[in-house]
Amino acid sequence: MKRVLPGLVLLALMVLASSVSAQKLQVVTTFSILQDFAEQVGGDSVEVSSLIPAGADPHTWEPTPKEARLVAKADLIIANGGGFDDWLFSLVENAARADALVITVSEGLEAIEHGHGHDHHGDAHFWLSVPHAIYYVEKISQALTALSPDNAAYFQGRAAAYRDELVELDRWMLGELSKISAENRVIVTYHNAFSYLAERYGFEVAEFLVANPDAEPTPRDLARLTDLLRRTSHRAIFTEPQIGSGTRYLQSLAKEVKGEIYVLYSDSLSPEISTYLEMMRYNTQTLVEALEQ
Ligand SMILES: [Zn+2]
């Protein structure tokens, strides 16, 4: 009897350990910014994976069997919606558990239509306006609470603390960006990601090269943008870190109009800018630096 005891104790410990880890809700998000939101709300009670790795371009990314395995073990699956991550839905259909909860955080928000292009969805980058991020966080908090009512107070407390930080961020951005005079508040960029930022913080998205980064710009697109930049006082062009092949178009444009290239984060976090709060602060400072005076 004495000799079997250590084995039993070990077994009991293993069962205990597995039930503790099983208590962590498994959350899967389509991209890194939603992963940050889910981690902010879920804290130690969740394990969150992003299907699109940080730094990749969500517009051209495609899922592999590795992502299907992540979806298969998820309790909660979080999509952005608005046409941004439609590939998720067939992945969910094929791989997700029947009892997994799937939410679309932009549902209920009104989309701004593209100025041009053939994309019928409108701009899906809702999160670049902080009040929309607060809306996302509320949806994530509700979903986590529904899945784990025992942790309701924990999730709601964390969501409230994070919401306070976002409200403060929004106020700070409004103040900082008001340093830029009205006639300089013009964004020229690669893809149409900034219409909600423009709407919230009083900018005009004068032009973007492509409506969807799937497409390469045409010579006509480039000519139109060159013309426009020649007429602006700052000739600042904003690129985004996840845009690989698109950068060369912007570089040749900048050279042609003797303009300057700046980086704005839109679709992905990175090792250097690893949270939404950092991303929005960085973007704000960049806009002020590029367009002030
Ligand atoms: Zn995008």
Side-chain angles (χ1 to χ4, degrees):
M1 188 64 202
K2 259 182 186 164
R3 263 178 298 162
V4 296
L5 201 57
L8 279 177
V9 169
L10 188 64
L11 187 67
L13 283 174
M14 282 166 66
V15 169
L16 194 66
S18 74
S19 74
V20 167
S21 71
Q23 278 169 7
K24 277 203 182 197
L25 284 174
Q26 298 298 311
V27 181
V28 163
T29 69
T30 50
F31 70 115
S32 52
I33 293 163
L34 297 183
Q35 178 182 21
D36 181 37
F37 292 155
E39 284 170 349
Q40 297 294 341
V41 178
D44 293 335
S45 300
V46 297
E47 194 176 313
V48 190
S49 315
S50 170
L51 295 177
I52 305 170
D57 182 358
H59 298 277
T60 50
W61 181 87
E62 281 178 30
T64 69
K66 181 178 160 246
E67 283 76 41
R69 286 195 292 276
L70 282 171
V71 166
K73 63 171 194 168
D75 300 300
L76 172 61
I77 300 161
I78 306 175
N80 180 71
F84 188 77
D85 39 20
D86 282 352
W87 47 264
L88 178 74
F89 300 104
S90 67
L91 203 59
V92 164
E93 207 167 294
N94 294 322
R97 295 197 326 249
D99 64 342
L101 178 59
V102 184
I103 64 166
T104 302
V105 284
S106 73
E107 205 172 79
L109 293 173
E110 201 175 322
I112 296 176
E113 294 302 315
H114 285 302
H116 65 252
H118 308 287
D119 195 338
H120 60 275
H121 277 299
D123 189 349
H125 305 76
F126 296 96
W127 62 89
L128 292 173
S129 158
V130 177
H132 289 161
I134 292 172
Y135 182 91
Y136 281 21
V137 166
E138 182 56 33
K139 283 219 161 145
I140 292 168
S141 172
Q142 284 168 5
L144 289 173
T145 302
L147 282 169
S148 179
D150 289 351
N151 285 316
Y154 178 73
F155 293 140
Q156 282 156 21
R158 289 187 63 94
Y162 187 50
R163 181 158 56 248
D164 287 348
E165 285 191 87
L166 292 172
V167 168
E168 177 51 35
L169 171 72
D170 187 47
R171 196 174 8 226
W172 176 79
M173 284 178 67
L174 287 164
E176 283 299 298
L177 295 171
S178 72
K179 292 176 183 170
I180 303 168
S181 66
E183 71 268 21
N184 286 348
R185 293 187 183 197
V186 176
I187 299 176
V188 176
T189 184
Y190 186 75
H191 91 298
N192 185 27
F194 298 100
S195 48
Y196 302 100
L197 183 137
E199 180 188 55
R200 174 68 182 165
Y201 304 101
F203 285 80
E204 179 198 346
V205 181
E207 203 53 270
F208 45 88
L209 210 43
V210 291
N212 191 313
D214 273 345
E216 299 271 307
T218 64
R220 227 179 86 209
D221 291 330
L222 288 163
R224 196 186 60 227
L225 210 56
T226 308
D227 261 13
L228 180 111
L229 280 164
R230 287 219 168 94
R231 283 183 273 118
T232 64
S233 56
H234 279 72
R235 302 192 176 174
I237 303 168
F238 297 96
T239 185
E240 299 148 63
Q242 81 280 1
I243 287 158
S245 69
T247 306
R248 69 174 188 273
Y249 295 107
L250 296 179
Q251 279 161 348
S252 68
L253 258 181
K255 214 172 147 189
E256 198 165 333
V257 300
K258 297 188 172 60
E260 196 93 45
I261 291 191
Y262 297 87
V263 172
L264 291 178
Y265 282 77
S266 57
D267 292 7
S268 181
L269 300 172
S270 71
E272 300 79 41
I273 303 286
S274 63
T275 68
Y276 176 79
L277 291 172
E278 283 171 37
M279 167 177 123
M280 296 304 272
R281 287 187 199 119
Y282 179 93
N283 284 350
T284 303
Q285 281 158 352
T286 302
L287 285 166
V288 170
E289 187 192 320
L291 301 174
E292 204 187 6
Q293 285 149 21

